[in-house]
């Protein structure tokens, strides 16, 4: 048995069921744990605290999974914990066309495991050493519980490097998932907008599409009836589709990827949406400045950029980036118009993001009112003992 003892004064987060133990909190290790091995965590006075998985490379040295001393972290535990997570999404599994997240890592008690469902197919991400060495157990559990047509692995996230794990992508079991039209979920278990989007789980962003924004597409779309809309970082057009369905009169989609914009065009045609659309390939930062110089105006501007802060040292640069794009966007909005702005950087809190948008409003000389505060879709739950899971935050604002 490998035991990990934490420094005096570092027990409280563990007792409060926070699932991370950083290397700096560890006083000693008894034994020589292999990557992903189960370890027991103790306080300095010898009290057992929790049980988790060892990571030999990451600063997150132990990821905790149980605070029950009688609960072994074995194959039965893995299957049962996956089953519990799936049971919490049962209302979204009725329609085979709906895509949703079935397992959301620490928030579902499975650190480093992501499982997304795209119709009859599953996509998995094994982001920690613990899950990587249990890949076959994960696959076996999913086959038994869900009987999918195929299971595809997309373990290509940057966090794998911190775990000293190679990038892995490919078919794990069954049939190769096809490129398919699917519908993201809604809070009521129905389709979020009634709109379909093509998902390519082999090459698409994340595991195919941005499932976390499913509810927000509809929320933002509600402000777009009769509006001229600018959708920046549009990717496959989730926001543009919702805006078009709501009755936008014209939509300009901006993305650095021509392939992404081509996919957005396909998605508009798939849903038989005839709203006038302009597709602009380029850097959104530059395009926003160009439109400001050209004195272009819009009724609604949507900003959904990629993650700007991957680690603490990126935070200052990230906040500058968020302020810059929001400042440029505010220059383009007609009085009484709407700014829908998002950050998916977990290190940028909702409070900090609001301060950044406030700073942009001051510099732009605009009065800005927050109408709605947005977060990730409900299939991406936030465990109360793990607030870090709430990475996506957004505001729908009125701009005067």
């Amino acid at each position: 048995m490998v035991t990990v003892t934490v420094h005096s004064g570092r027990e409280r987060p563990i007792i409060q069921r926070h699932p991370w133990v950083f290397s700096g909190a560890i006083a000693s290790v008894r034994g020589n744990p292999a990557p992903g091995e189960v370890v027991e965590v103790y306080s300095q006075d010898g009290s057992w605290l929790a049980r988790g998985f060892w990571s030999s490379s990451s600063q997150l040295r132990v990821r905790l999974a149980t605070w029950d001393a009688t609960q072994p972290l074995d194959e039965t535990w893995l299957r049962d914990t996956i089953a519990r997570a799936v049971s919490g999404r049962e209302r979204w599994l009725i329609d085979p066309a709906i895509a949703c997240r079935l397992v959301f890592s620490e928030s579902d008690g499975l650190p480093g495991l992501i499982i997304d469902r795209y119709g009859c197919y599953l996509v998995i991400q094994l982001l920690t050493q613990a899950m990587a060495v249990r890949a076959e157990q994960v696959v076996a559990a999913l086959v038994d519980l869900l009987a999918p047509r195929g299971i595809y692995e997309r373990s290509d996230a940057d966090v794998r490097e911190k775990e000293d794990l190679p990038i892995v992508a490919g078919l794990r079991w069954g049939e190769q998932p096809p490129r398919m039209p699917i519908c993201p979920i809604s809070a009521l278990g129905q389709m979020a907008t009634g709109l379909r989007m093509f998902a390519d789980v082999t090459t698409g962003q994340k595991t195919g599409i941005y499932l976390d924004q499913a509810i927000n597409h509809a929320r933002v779309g509600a402000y777009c009836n009769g509006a001229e809309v600018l959708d920046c970082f549009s990717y496959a057009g989730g926001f543009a589709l919702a805006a078009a369905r709501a009755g936008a009169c014209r939509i300009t989609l901006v993305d650095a990827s021509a392939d992404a914009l081509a996919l957005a065009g396909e998605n508009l045609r798939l849903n038989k949406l005839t709203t006038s659309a302009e597709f602009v390939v380029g850097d959104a930062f530059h395009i926003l400045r160009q439109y400001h110089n050209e004195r272009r105006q819009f009724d609604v501007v949507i900003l959904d950029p990629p993650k700007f802060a991957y680690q603490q040292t990126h935070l200052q640069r990230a906040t500058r980036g968020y302020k810059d794009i929001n400042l440029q966007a505010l220059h383009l909005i007609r009085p009484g118009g709407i700014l829908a702005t998002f950050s998916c950087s977990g290190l940028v809190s909702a409070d900090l993001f609001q301060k950044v948008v406030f700073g942009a409003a001051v510099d732009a000389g605009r009065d800005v009112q927050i109408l709605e505060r947005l977060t990730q879709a409900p299939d991406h739950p936030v465990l109360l003992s793990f607030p870090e899971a709430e990475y996506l935050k957004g505001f729908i604002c009125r701009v005067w």
Side-chain angles (χ1 to χ4, degrees):
M1 181 178 68
V2 176
T3 62
V4 172
T5 301
V6 297
H7 287 293
S8 180
R10 305 298 290 270
E11 309 93 340
R12 185 172 182 179
I14 300 172
I15 294 170
Q16 294 179 335
R17 294 183 173 238
H18 193 282
W20 289 350
V21 180
F22 286 90
S23 59
I26 296 175
S28 63
V29 179
R30 181 180 178 183
N32 185 26
E37 185 175 345
V38 175
V39 298
E40 311 291 327
V41 180
Y42 286 83
S43 65
Q44 286 279 12
D45 65 7
S47 300
W48 184 89
L49 297 174
R51 182 174 294 122
F53 301 106
W54 181 258
S55 176
S56 61
S57 302
S58 173
Q59 289 299 306
L60 284 173
R61 198 54 53 87
V62 181
R63 287 172 170 81
L64 303 174
T66 184
W67 288 258
D68 179 355
T70 67
Q71 174 64 67
L73 299 181
D74 55 12
E75 190 167 356
T76 299
W77 164 84
L78 180 65
R79 183 194 182 283
D80 289 349
T81 310
I82 292 174
R84 188 183 77 165
V86 172
S87 72
R89 278 88 164 175
E90 282 181 346
R91 61 181 173 175
W92 299 312
L93 302 181
I94 298 171
D95 189 333
I98 289 180
C100 68
R101 177 149 295 182
L102 297 181
V103 171
F104 185 36
S105 197
E106 282 88 348
S107 278
D108 283 306
L110 293 156
L113 179 61
I114 300 292
I115 302 173
D116 289 341
R117 180 229 196 192
Y118 289 88
C120 298
Y121 298 87
L122 301 175
V123 182
I124 62 174
Q125 290 184 312
L126 309 168
L127 304 179
T128 59
Q129 293 177 352
M131 291 302 160
V133 301
R134 290 167 177 79
E136 295 304 322
Q137 294 180 19
V138 170
V139 170
L142 294 175
V143 172
D144 181 43
L145 291 167
L146 296 166
R149 288 187 183 175
I151 300 174
Y152 195 87
E153 182 175 354
R154 282 289 302 271
S155 296
D156 51 6
D158 293 339
V159 70
R160 293 264 299 192
E161 296 180 14
K162 296 179 181 179
E163 292 283 312
D164 196 26
L165 294 170
I167 298 301
V168 176
L171 184 65
R172 269 286 182 178
W173 183 89
E175 302 174 12
Q176 179 87 0
R179 187 171 181 269
M180 68 194 97
I182 53 83
C183 301
I185 60 97
S186 81
L188 300 178
Q190 303 298 318
M191 300 170 188
T193 57
L195 296 165
R196 295 179 296 162
M197 299 178 69
F198 282 112
D200 187 341
V201 304
T202 63
T203 61
Q205 293 291 327
K206 290 198 170 181
T207 61
I209 60 174
Y210 288 99
L211 297 174
D212 53 0
Q213 286 281 28
I215 306 302
N216 297 332
H217 291 157
R219 297 280 287 275
V220 173
Y223 293 86
C224 295
N225 183 28
E228 186 175 358
V229 178
L230 174 61
D231 180 12
C232 295
F233 311 96
S234 61
Y235 183 48
F239 284 107
L241 291 172
R245 170 62 63 85
C249 66
R250 180 176 176 79
I251 305 172
T252 301
L253 296 86
V254 177
D255 200 277
S257 167
D259 290 340
L261 291 174
L263 179 57
E266 284 189 75
N267 286 330
L268 286 166
R269 292 188 292 274
L270 173 68
N271 291 279
K272 297 181 172 56
L273 296 171
T274 58
T275 301
S276 176
E278 177 187 8
F279 301 90
V280 179
V281 180
D283 183 325
F285 287 86
H286 296 157
I287 298 298
L288 287 167
R289 282 184 168 79
Q290 175 187 325
Y291 287 173
H292 183 212
N293 292 336
E294 295 172 356
R295 300 183 181 278
R296 288 191 63 174
Q297 294 276 284
F298 299 88
D299 301 301
V300 178
V301 176
I302 303 163
L303 302 175
D304 185 24
K307 183 186 293 188
F308 286 173
Y310 287 88
Q311 56 193 41
Q312 197 69 35
T313 56
H314 297 166
L315 191 55
Q316 187 174 12
R317 183 181 66 186
T319 55
R320 287 198 303 267
Y322 287 123
K323 182 178 179 182
D324 188 20
I325 57 171
N326 281 278
L327 172 62
Q328 300 308 320
L330 288 168
H331 288 315
L332 305 179
I333 299 173
R334 295 186 177 103
I338 294 293
L339 170 67
T341 182
F342 295 89
S343 165
C344 63
S345 298
L347 292 171
V348 177
S349 67
D351 181 61
L352 176 57
F353 189 50
Q354 180 173 330
K355 290 176 180 176
V356 168
V357 178
F358 165 71
V362 170
D363 287 358
R366 307 295 298 268
D367 291 325
V368 179
Q369 302 165 319
I370 295 176
L371 305 181
E372 297 190 47
R373 299 175 187 270
L374 305 177
T375 186
Q376 61 235 40
D379 55 343
H380 294 60
V382 179
L383 189 67
L384 284 177
S385 59
F386 185 61
E388 291 87 346
E390 191 170 9
Y391 65 93
L392 181 62
K393 69 286 300 179
F395 303 122
I396 298 177
C397 302
R398 180 80 66 190
V399 180
W400 298 102

